[in-house]
């Protein structure tokens, strides 16, 4: 028997939700299959299920055959229709989970910046974890493992299968032991748990056993089976699943080492502050390594979504990955300097570069240490006015860093990432959950969610953008949203629903005409009426606008009468006032927020907002500049939103300003 449904599991049957689904399926005696686009796979193999790449909102069929088929279908369909399935779980998630249980995805760094020799900066790879490091190179290039290279005799096969099974059990037991220890962080534990799932999965073991039955020795069989499955993961159109190919190889290697009775080369003796250089490091090895001693990581393999990147980021270790064969140039390096922000690696730096990097590392550490006292400070001016110092973030996984920094709410939540990360448009439910998690995390502080600000320069799946001569002056931001009420209303409905859970404010990007605010209001009211009729809990929110076009500055007095707040987007405002593309280095000099033309636009905006009695804030990069903060505050701005790294310094600047008054 079979039943079809639309998958509502948040993000689809990725890693953890897939293994939970398999666990559920294995609880039934019946043979169970999941079918997508005519392709059927066993629902009892997480590897096969992941490779089916089932996404949220796709149609699938559950097919069951056996005594408990009805119960199996009932339970599995229920799972697929639950947006939070597989996510509300203990710490052994695939990767660190946040409040919403959403899987932690990486920061938006280039997925596969080509490794190339850059004359000025050395090697160039993927900037996978930010920060600077310089230290002795610790090359970790364990020897390749090769099979016996001879075919087994028929009478040897049974024994070889036993040897293989014993090795698999040993690897699983070793991973279980590691999971039982307190020393692993929650995030690392999730990563090891995911590797254990692969080691325990029939796909790898059945493939290897069938190769052994065909006469291959166990090591050759494991290497071939792992390569086949890894190639399948590499072929899927999904960055996250592509990165699982490295995990399969890592598990295969562990099984081979167990067959050889060897342990992998240990990272235990890595010297303090060393830069770990490797073609590839199993997440399994890295998670157990003395991470506090590692100064930086450089790898030939890996990208922003690989487990190594996740571990490095969560432990604050700068990392440059994806160097490809160029990593071989580092095998004999004595010292390495790395810039995890730009993805640069410098081999045996000269004295000047060394001094530069040592200076950057020391300055960063010293400044970090001196600023922590400002984390809990609420900056107040001499007249008692509080200046809100909030965070600019683009995903839920940045919440922790913002809170750690002492953010007084979120002044700009860029929702583009939510749309860009997926191969389809995010559902209303998924958006509502995300915004609600954000609001809950910062309550009672406000969180300002910016509606979708995207154009043809950053296309996203599900929206057809026209070819434009000049996308920065084209169909983007609020213009696109108002033309696509199907997309816009889904976001507005999600925001109204999330507003029940905290202090949500909503801000419109790229506004240049008052009609855009009015049309949005009509849509918001329409959405609220629909939700009311459907009996869905929701609440109203303050509606504000970004001031980032010259037109918005010039009509600011009129706009101020129609909205609850302004937030000045100096990044775009500067480029539009100066007619200087913010991405074009040739005109970078003109792209200067301190140009009197831009500063006077900011002042005009502040005056209009203050006169109307609404809040005026700023969320462009300039908001975090210590040299400009006093000027902005004197103009009347009461909220400054910036990247979490700038928050404590900004609070210190405001306190110093208040003390000087
Ligand atoms: C701005 O333009 O200043 C801004 C904050 O928005 P974004 O950088 O996302 O365009
Ligand atoms: Mg902008």
């Amino acid at each position: 028997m079979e039943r079809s449904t639309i998958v509502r599991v948040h993000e689809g049957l990725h890693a953890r939700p897939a293994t939970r689904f398999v666990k559920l399926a294995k609880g039934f005696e019946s043979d169970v299959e999941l079918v997508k686009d005519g392709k059927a796979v066993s629902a009892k193999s997480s590897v096969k299920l992941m490779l089916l790449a089932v996404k949220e909102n796709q149609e699938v069929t559950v097919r069951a055959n056996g005594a408990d088929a009805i119960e199996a279908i009932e339970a599995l369909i229920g799972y697929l229709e639950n947006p939070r399935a597989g996510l509300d779980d203990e710490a052994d998630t695939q990767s660190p989970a946040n409040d919403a249980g959403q899987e932690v995805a990486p920061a938006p760094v280039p997925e596969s910046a080509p490794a190339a020799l850059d004359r000025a900066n050395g090697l160039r790879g993927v900037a996978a974890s930010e920060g600077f490091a310089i230290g002795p190179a610790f090359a970790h290039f364990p020897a390749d493992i090769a099979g016996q290279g001879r075919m087994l005799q028929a009478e040897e096969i049974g024994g070889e299968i036993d040897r293989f099974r014993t090795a698999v059990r040993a690897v699983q037991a070793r991973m279980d032991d590691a999971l039982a220890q307190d020393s692993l962080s929650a995030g690392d534990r999730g990563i090891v748990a995911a590797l254990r799932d692969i080691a325990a999965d029939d796909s790898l073991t059945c493939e290897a056993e069938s190769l052994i039955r065909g006469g291959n020795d166990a090591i050759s069989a494991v290497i071939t089976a792992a390569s086949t499955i890894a190639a399948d993961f590499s072929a899927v159109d999904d960055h996250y699943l592509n990165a699982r190919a490295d995990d399969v190889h890592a598990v295969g290697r562990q099984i081979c080492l167990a067959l050889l009775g060897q342990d992998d080369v240990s990272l235990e003796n890595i010297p303090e502050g060393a830069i770990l250089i490797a073609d590839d490091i199993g997440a399994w090895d890295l998670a157990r390594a003395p991470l506090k001693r590692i100064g930086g990581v450089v790898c030939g393999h890996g990208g922003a979504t690989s487990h190594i990147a996740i571990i490095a980021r969560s432990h604050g270790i700068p990392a440059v990955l994806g160097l490809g064969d160029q990593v071989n140039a580092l095998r004999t390096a004595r010292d390495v300097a790395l810039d995890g922000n730009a993805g640069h690696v410098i081999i045996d730096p000269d004295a000047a570069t060394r001094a530069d990097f040592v200076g950057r590392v020391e300055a960063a550490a010293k400044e970090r240490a001196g600023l922590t006292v400002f984390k809990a400070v609420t900056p107040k001016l001499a007249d008692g006015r509080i200046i809100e110092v909030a965070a600019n973030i683009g995903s839920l996984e940045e919440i922790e860093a913002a809170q750690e920094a002492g953010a007084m709410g979120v002044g700009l939540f860029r929702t583009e990432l939510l749309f860009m990360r997926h191969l389809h448009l995010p559902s209303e439910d998924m958006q509502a959950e995300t915004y609600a998690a954000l609001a809950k995390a910062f309550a009672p502080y406000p969180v300002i969610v910016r509606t979708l600000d995207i154009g043809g320069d950053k296309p996203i799946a599900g929206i057809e953008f026209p070819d434009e001569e000049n996308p920065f002056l084209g169909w983007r931001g609020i213009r696109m949203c108002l033309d696509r009420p199907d997309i816009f209303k889904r976001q507005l409905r999600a925001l109204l629903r999330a507003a029940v859970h905290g202090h949500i404010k909503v801000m419109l990007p790229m506004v240049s005409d008052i009609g855009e605010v009015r049309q949005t209001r009509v849509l918001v009211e329409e959405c609220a009426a629909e939700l009311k009729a459907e009996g869905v809990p929701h609440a109203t929110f303050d509606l504000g606008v970004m001031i980032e076009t010259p037109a918005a500055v010039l009509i600011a007095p009129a706009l101020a009468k129609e909205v609850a707040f302004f937030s000045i987007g100096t990044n775009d405002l500067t480029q539009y006032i100066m007619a200087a593309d913010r991405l074009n280095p040739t005109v970078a000099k003109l792209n200067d927020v301190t140009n009197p033309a831009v500063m006077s636009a900011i002042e005009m905006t502040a005056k209009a907002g203050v006169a109307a009695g609404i809040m005026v804030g700023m969320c462009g990069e300039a908001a975090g500049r210590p040299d400009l903060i006093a000027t902005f505050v004197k103009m009347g701005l009461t909220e400054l939103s910036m990247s979490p790294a700038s928050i404590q310094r900004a609070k210190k600047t405001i306190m110093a300003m208040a003390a000087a008054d």
Side-chain angles (χ1 to χ4, degrees), residues 450 453 509-510 546 548 569 571-573 582:
R450 178 174 73 183
D453 183 15
M510 285 291 295
M546 289 197 70
E548 53 183 350
N571 309 340
D572 276 321
L573 186 61
R582 66 195 252 189

Side-chain angles (χ1 to χ4, degrees), residues 392 412 414 416 450 453 458 472 476 507 546-548 568-573 582 619-621:
N392 288 354
L412 168 61
R414 291 183 166 99
E416 296 77 69
R450 178 174 73 183
D453 183 15
K458 276 194 214 113
F472 273 107
R476 58 186 310 115
M507 154 165 100
M546 289 197 70
I547 302 290
E548 53 183 350
I568 304 171
T570 49
N571 309 340
D572 276 321
L573 186 61
R582 66 195 252 189
C619 60
E621 290 301 307

Side-chain angles (χ1 to χ4, degrees), residues 5 377 417 422 528 533 568 593 596 660:
T5 189
V377 163
L417 246 198
H422 305 278
I568 304 171
V593 70

Side-chain angles (χ1 to χ4, degrees), residues 132-134 337 346 348-363:
F132 300 100
I134 181 160
I346 299 160
D348 293 328
D350 60 22
T353 311
R354 175 181 292 279
D356 178 34
F357 269 79
V358 168
R360 291 198 224 187
V361 171
E362 281 177 6

Side-chain angles (χ1 to χ4, degrees), residues 198-251:
I198 292 174
D201 198 277
D202 290 351
S203 302
L204 182 61
T205 51
C206 291
E207 178 82 20
E209 285 195 16
S210 110
L211 287 161
I212 298 171
R213 279 197 191 89
N216 289 277
D217 66 276
I219 290 181
S220 306
V222 172
I223 293 170
T224 310
S227 298
T228 309
I229 294 167
D232 289 343
F233 274 112
S234 299
V236 181
D237 183 16
D238 181 314
H239 288 322
Y240 184 83
L241 290 175
N242 297 156
R244 304 287 72 77
D246 287 345
D247 295 349
V248 175
H249 282 303
V251 169

